[in-house]
Amino acid sequence: MSSPLVVVEVILLSECEGVLRYRQSRAAVRDRAHPDDVARQIAGLSPCTSGGLLHSTSWRAEQATVVLTYVALPDMQPASARPVQLDAVTYGGHPLAPSPATVDLDAVAAHACRHLAMLADTDRVVATAALLLPELWEPLRKLAPVPAGALTAVAV
């Protein structure tokens, strides 16, 4: 039995006129690379990136591929970013089957934003990073903090 292909998906966040925006980028994990390193490379972030943050938010199976999703900010190339649909939600249809049949990218981005909103209140590292990019974190902080996997998305 062969191992599944592992792909890192990065949801890159930016802000324009108070609106959260995102774009997606993906790359396969190759040559025993660590997924964090792959995600950081995709995002173009370095220790010198002011307010830079990379956080693993979810995973899912797509046929024979495991997709590891990260959220990264700030997006260093936001020109093609689109607005985050904050009410987008995807969930499984049964308590013992949490994986949805299909996953909408808008729901992945919304989940990542809700996850960051919670972490801004509960994680010291995230809260510190948020101080460095107030214009990007202002719309994130307006989201009701929701634990990972929760089904509701409420914008305040």
Side-chain angles (χ1 to χ4, degrees), residues 114-133:
R114 292 188 299 268
H115 192 76
L116 286 181
M118 181 196 67
L119 290 175
D121 288 338
T122 62
D123 184 300
R124 158 174 61 94
V125 172
V126 174
T128 300
L131 295 173
L132 299 174
L133 293 173

Side-chain angles (χ1 to χ4, degrees), residues 2-62:
S2 63
S3 297
L5 175 66
V6 177
V7 170
V8 168
E9 168 183 72
V10 180
I11 303 298
L12 299 126
L13 293 180
S14 58
E15 173 274 335
C16 184
E17 298 179 6
V19 175
L20 286 170
R21 300 179 63 79
Y22 82 97
R23 68 182 175 91
Q24 172 213 49
S25 189
R26 286 179 158 206
V29 175
R30 303 245 188 256
D31 302 323
R32 297 184 177 171
H34 193 285
D36 290 358
D37 295 333
V38 175
R40 195 171 22 261
Q41 184 177 21
I42 291 170
L45 299 177
S46 77
C48 298
T49 306
S50 181
L53 179 70
L54 181 67
H55 187 78
S56 174
T57 62
S58 61
W59 71 272
R60 66 183 179 277
E62 289 181 351

